[in-house]
Amino acid sequence: MTVFQVYKAQGRFSEALQNYEEALKIKRARLGDAHPELAISLWSMADVLDAMERWSEAKQLYLKAFDMSQQVLGADHSHTRAMDAAVKRLAAAGH
């Protein structure tokens, strides 16, 4: 379990989000703007926002993660399909 997952499990969402944002900056600086790790970080941030009931922001990040994942991993990759399912779940819930 990662530090981020611990924060999330403890309901320390703001701290989890802050750590994901910092990790994203570092990854972007090291890996560029089109790397699978960035898509996963965006997805993780969206999960935290979703848990915080900040659905509009979560949906935007899920969509960014989904688009990036499609480009770098392909539409059939398990991460891409999971991101697509998250966006559809929010839409079905009216968010």
Side-chain angles (χ1 to χ4, degrees):
M1 183 174 272
T2 68
V3 172
F4 307 129
Q5 291 167 327
V6 171
Y7 281 146
K8 186 178 169 191
Q10 293 175 344
R12 295 165 60 185
F13 301 118
S14 294
E15 291 170 87
L17 188 58
Q18 184 178 3
N19 280 291
Y20 279 126
E21 289 170 346
E22 186 62 30
L24 183 64
K25 288 178 191 175
I26 293 167
K27 287 178 183 180
R28 199 171 257 142
R30 290 187 178 173
L31 303 172
D33 288 329
H35 192 279
E37 287 295 320
L38 294 178
I40 293 167
S41 290
L42 289 170
W43 182 21
S44 297
M45 288 172 60
D47 280 343
V48 174
L49 289 165
D50 190 359
M52 294 172 78
E53 299 181 359
R54 291 168 55 180
W55 294 301
S56 177
E57 294 167 87
K59 187 175 180 180
Q60 288 176 350
L61 286 184
Y62 279 135
L63 286 169
K64 284 182 184 180
F66 173 69
D67 289 342
M68 186 180 293
S69 187
Q70 274 192 310
Q71 291 174 14
V72 297
L73 297 173
D76 293 327
H77 193 278
S78 61
H79 290 318
T80 305
R81 289 193 311 268
M83 291 172 198
D84 185 39
V87 171
K88 288 177 181 174
R89 179 184 50 78
L90 282 180
H95 303 296

